Amino acid sequence: MPIIRGSERYNCQVLCFNRKIVMIRPKMWLANDGNYRELRWFTTWKQKDQLVEFQLPPEISEALSQTSVPFGYGYIQFLDTAVAAEICEELFTPNPPHTELALNGVEVFLNASGSHHQLRKLDLRLRAFIGATHTRGGVYMYSNHQGCDGARLYYDGCSCVVVNGEVVAQGSQFSLKDVEVVVAQVDLDAIASLRGSISSFQEQASCKTKVSSVAVPYNICKPFNLKMLLSNPQKIMYHSPEEEIAFGPGCWLWDYLRRSGASGFLLPLSGGADSSSVAAIVGCMCQLVVKEIANGDEQVKADAIRIGNYTDGRFPTDSKEFAKRIFYTVYMGSENSSEATKTRAKVLADEIGSWHLDVCIDGVVSSLLSLFQTVTGKRPRYKVDGGSNVENLGLQNIQARIRMVLAFMLASLLPWVHNKKGFYLVLGSSNVDEALRGYLTKYDCSAADINPIGSISKQDLRTFLRWAANHLGYSSLAEIEAAPPTAELEPIRSNYSQLDEVDMGMTYEELSVYGRLRKIFRCGPVSMFKNLCYKWGATLTPSEVADKVKHFFKYYSINRHKMTVLTPSYHAESYSPEDNRFDLRQFLYNARWPYQFRKMDELVQEMNGDRVAFKETGEDGGTAAGGGGMGVVAAASGNPKAGF
């Protein structure tokens, strides 16, 4: 809860007991990186050595018959145990509050959190809870949001209870429920026993810094009773990355759909891996909705009846029938499209149950080219027909942008055509690697209302497609995954077929490596080059590594401006280049990178010289051990950290 005290605004956890406010605990460490900007709205509480009195607002004071409440950092001392709050980000700081609180005798920690989903992240979060109580003892009660945050994040729940480093209760990570309660019964004597058995804990507790407390004269524990069953440690439930891709964006789409007032989704379905992944995620969403209704969730049922426009007491019982009501797919082919992708799109649409359209855009493309020729006197040609790179790119962009315009037109007018209320949200389908490289047309089909895969790598998507073919019942996805990625924007000839990785000058696997080094490891061109010399040195020369790094940074910087208009995408990957919130950077670069590229060339020359020197030393009969060791040092002489 945001609370203003004097001139400052704090992010607080309000602790209540028996219809009274016991304590207000302001957050001491704010999340201010990645997706979060808490310091924009709040200040941190810095007076750790005391609790102060906070005057309650008149309407609250009157309702509770309470005029003031302790405010600050501290804990609640009951007659039989001590309870304290640790708020969200504070758990992940280098010196978290639970360390000091445990030494002061706190046994139960309450963490109210807003933690977002990211692929393969849950283990990091759970390890933090387990580590907090494994060596210090304690009960850690973690409560997390679940659902769309109103923007790009999906809070992935997984509320849990951890006792002395063991999980005894765990909630769902992905769910359509509005509220989910996780309950456990625990023995607090086990905490005292563990702490008493650790000598170092006892010694540190004896010289601790005292933390303020609020006394509450109540017992909150029950006496020993054989009728009560203690919660036993359980195996932690982890979803595979493929399941995370299906359920996370699927739940996010449903929450977005029901809260936006839209009547469904429209997807330009090309028959390729990316748009097919989006279609499969929407299909998974429909399956989740039908399953939740069957389990008796009245809120999901009411939302589905409203969105699907059901009448006469009917509601969704079949996911394909539900998809037919809320999901439109459109194949927008041209003379450059193949029959194979057209067929794949149609088969997948039938498997999911979407209302499918097959549209040819050649007439619109031809009209625009005729208009251009009338205005300029020239008509561009494709590269395979003798045109320049500029002409070739321009012709591809025309097709891509026509598809974007047509998609939004259909999304707004098709409900009217079918006598339905509302509008459809257009779904985008560009992946994180294409965005990083800029391998997309500005304002093409990547431009949409929302994009469920915009922060997911191509490699993860292909793995997801193989999984979905078996587990979601969309068998055509296996064939789609096996097909080579292509934009199908250039003419197909007997000696030429457009392929994504050839166009980009790099593989999707390489792009994923570049993305992680650039964002997660904060590498610029020179430090990325050094890292990749170690990673790829067995198969590539330093000169070849340098060429690859230069090629990536050239196109990354040329295309960075596209990130300013990137469709709002579900955040799923830690190297997302999304410009609005997560990866705040300039979008005007010197694409020649003169200093950095020159420095790389100097390092290549040094390493080539060192390699020659090492080779000569080896041929002159240096000892095997000494020669080998010197070779490692000499080969990396340009990097002062090479020995570590």
Side-chain angles (χ1 to χ4, degrees):
M1 176 182 288
I3 293 179
I4 295 175
R5 178 182 176 272
S7 300
E8 307 98 40
R9 181 168 50 195
Y10 295 99
N11 189 3
C12 300
Q13 189 166 341
V14 181
L15 303 174
C16 307
F17 184 77
N18 285 353
R19 296 186 59 80
K20 298 289 183 182
I21 299 176
V22 177
M23 176 180 164
I24 297 176
R25 164 69 155 81
K27 197 170 180 180
M28 297 185 297
W29 309 111
L30 299 175
N32 207 57
D33 51 27
N35 286 297
Y36 302 101
R37 297 289 180 275
E38 279 194 274
L39 280 171
R40 179 181 293 177
W41 309 109
F42 303 105
T43 188
T44 57
W45 178 253
K46 301 175 179 68
Q47 302 174 44
K48 290 185 60 178
D49 58 342
Q50 61 178 324
L51 287 168
V52 299
E53 282 299 306
F54 178 78
Q55 191 72 30
L56 292 172
E59 60 272 22
I60 295 177
S61 177
E62 182 179 344
L64 301 181
S65 300
Q66 180 180 358
T67 57
S68 64
V69 60
F71 185 103
Y73 171 57
Y75 62 92
I76 302 171
Q77 183 65 61
F78 290 93
L79 294 177
D80 49 6
T81 190
V83 178
E86 184 170 67
I87 309 174
C88 199
E89 175 73 10
E90 293 176 348
L91 168 65
F92 303 100
T93 57
N95 185 21
H98 68 252
T99 302
E100 184 177 50
L101 290 166
L103 296 176
N104 275 266
V106 173
E107 294 180 320
V108 181
F109 304 94
L110 316 173
N111 191 320
S113 185
S115 185
H116 66 276
H117 172 241
Q118 195 167 282
L119 290 175
R120 306 173 180 89
K121 175 188 170 186
L122 180 59
D123 182 56
L124 297 176
R125 192 190 301 160
L126 283 169
R127 272 190 284 167
F129 314 145
I130 292 169
T133 60
H134 179 70
T135 57
R136 304 174 188 89
V139 177
Y140 209 96
M141 300 170 62
Y142 173 79
S143 177
N144 191 25
H145 289 308
Q146 193 166 57
C148 172
D149 76 329
R152 295 161 172 79
L153 302 185
Y154 176 77
Y155 294 128
D156 59 336
C158 205
S159 299
C160 59
V161 180
V162 179
V163 180
N164 290 353
E166 295 184 300
V167 177
V168 297
Q170 179 185 359
S172 66
Q173 187 176 12
F174 307 108
S175 170
L176 303 185
K177 293 184 175 72
D178 271 350
V179 178
E180 184 178 39
V181 180
V182 178
V183 178
Q185 296 190 83
V186 302
D187 180 9
L188 295 187
D189 286 343
I191 298 162
S193 175
L194 175 62
R195 289 178 176 178
S197 69
I198 304 172
S199 176
S200 58
F201 183 93
Q202 296 288 302
E203 289 298 316
Q204 291 187 358
S206 69
C207 58
K208 62 185 176 291
T209 301
K210 185 172 175 55
V211 176
S212 301
S213 64
V214 177
V216 178
Y218 285 92
N219 291 302
I220 62 171
C221 296
K222 294 183 178 180
F224 176 73
N225 187 340
L226 283 176
K227 293 181 179 179
M228 289 179 58
L229 296 177
L230 293 179
S231 301
N232 293 316
Q234 61 183 54
K235 184 178 179 181
I236 300 172
M237 169 61 186
Y238 290 111
H239 288 284
S240 68
E242 296 77 30
E243 291 173 327
E244 290 185 83
I245 292 172
F247 302 142
C251 291
W252 179 75
L253 284 176
W254 175 249
D255 210 13
Y256 197 106
L257 178 63
R258 73 190 187 107
R259 289 162 58 184
S260 67
S263 303
F265 298 117
L266 183 137
L267 171 69
L269 182 60
S270 69
D274 292 337
S275 61
S276 297
S277 295
V278 175
I281 289 170
V282 177
C284 178
M285 181 202 79
C286 294
Q287 292 180 18
L288 290 173
V289 169
V290 170
K291 181 180 178 181
E292 204 61 46
I293 292 173
N295 290 337
D297 193 311
E298 291 299 322
Q299 182 61 58
V300 174
K301 182 178 178 180
D303 289 331
I305 290 172
R306 173 178 55 84
I307 295 169
N309 197 28
Y310 287 89
T311 57
D312 301 326
R314 293 183 301 142
F315 56 87
T317 56
D318 178 77
S319 62
K320 291 183 69 172
E321 186 275 334
F322 186 52
K324 182 74 73 175
R325 289 172 174 264
I326 69 161
F327 188 32
Y328 281 42
T329 51
V330 188
Y331 180 83
M332 293 183 268
S334 72
E335 61 183 359
N336 302 320
S337 304
S338 66
E339 193 64 34
T341 55
K342 178 180 178 180
T343 302
R344 290 183 200 128
K346 179 66 169 66
V347 171
L348 178 60
D350 290 342
E351 289 176 342
I352 294 171
S354 67
W355 200 89
H356 188 67
L357 280 173
D358 184 357
V359 178
C360 180
I361 64 171
D362 285 338
V364 184
V365 174
S366 178
S367 297
L368 281 173
L369 289 176
S370 297
L371 175 62
F372 180 84
Q373 186 173 12
T374 301
V375 173
T376 65
K378 291 188 174 183
R379 192 177 185 92
R381 295 178 296 168
Y382 289 103
K383 184 170 58 178
V384 294
D385 296 327
S388 64
N389 285 331
V390 173
E391 295 171 76
N392 195 62
L393 189 60
L395 287 170
Q396 293 182 68
N397 288 343
I398 290 170
Q399 299 168 71
R401 288 180 174 131
I402 285 172
R403 287 172 174 146
M404 184 272 288
V405 173
L406 183 57
F408 275 98
M409 181 180 178
L410 290 171
S412 62
L413 291 178
L414 278 178
W416 166 72
V417 171
H418 294 118
N419 296 315
K420 293 183 179 180
K421 296 179 181 179
F423 60 96
Y424 283 86
L425 294 166
V426 178
L427 297 179
S429 58
S430 59
N431 62 64
V432 68
D433 297 323
E434 291 172 345
L436 180 66
R437 164 61 172 74
Y439 186 64
L440 53 93
T441 299
K442 204 172 187 179
Y443 306 115
D444 69 347
C445 275
S446 66
D449 289 309
I450 51 175
N451 181 356
I453 67 164
S455 185
I456 303 175
S457 72
K458 189 76 164 189
Q459 289 177 291
D460 280 339
L461 287 174
R462 298 191 72 163
T463 307
F464 163 71
L465 288 173
R466 292 194 293 271
W467 174 88
N470 295 320
H471 293 84
L472 296 182
Y474 309 141
S475 58
S476 64
L477 292 175
E479 181 184 347
I480 292 170
E481 187 278 328
T486 173
E488 290 195 334
L489 293 171
E490 295 183 64
I492 300 172
R493 298 285 189 265
S494 58
N495 61 345
Y496 178 77
S497 180
Q498 185 181 23
L499 296 173
D500 287 358
E501 294 183 334
V502 175
D503 275 1
M504 293 189 297
M506 59 191 76
T507 66
Y508 281 109
E509 184 178 0
E510 289 172 342
L511 259 175
S512 189
V513 172
Y514 298 145
R516 286 181 166 84
L517 287 174
R518 181 199 70 96
K519 177 63 177 174
I520 302 172
F521 295 96
R522 297 163 294 280
C523 287
V526 177
S527 52
M528 183 181 292
F529 164 73
K530 291 177 180 178
N531 275 275
L532 290 178
C533 280
Y534 290 122
K535 186 177 180 66
W536 293 343
T539 55
L540 297 175
T541 67
S543 179
E544 290 171 331
V545 173
D547 287 342
K548 285 180 175 291
V549 173
K550 289 177 183 178
H551 186 71
F552 165 71
F553 271 99
K554 173 186 175 182
Y555 284 98
Y556 161 75
S557 53
I558 286 173
N559 291 308
R560 181 69 199 189
H561 65 96
K562 295 178 181 178
M563 299 305 97
T564 63
V565 295
L566 200 65
T567 295
S569 302
Y570 179 96
H571 178 87
E573 186 55 78
S574 54
Y575 69 90
S576 169
E578 181 262 305
D579 179 80
N580 176 268
R581 179 170 177 178
F582 183 68
D583 189 38
L584 305 180
R585 302 183 186 226
Q586 68 200 70
F587 52 88
L588 177 60
Y589 284 91
N590 184 344
R592 297 186 301 277
W593 301 85
Y595 173 80
Q596 291 88 344
F597 287 3
R598 185 171 66 250
K599 183 66 176 176
M600 288 165 60
D601 291 338
E602 292 171 1
L603 290 171
V604 169
Q605 288 181 344
E606 286 180 27
M607 286 188 283
N608 286 339
D610 289 338
R611 286 188 172 204
V612 171
F614 170 62
K615 183 177 180 182
E616 290 173 351
T617 302
E619 289 173 348
D620 287 344
T623 61
M630 290 174 64
V632 172
V633 175
S637 61
N639 183 355
K641 298 182 180 178
F644 297 94

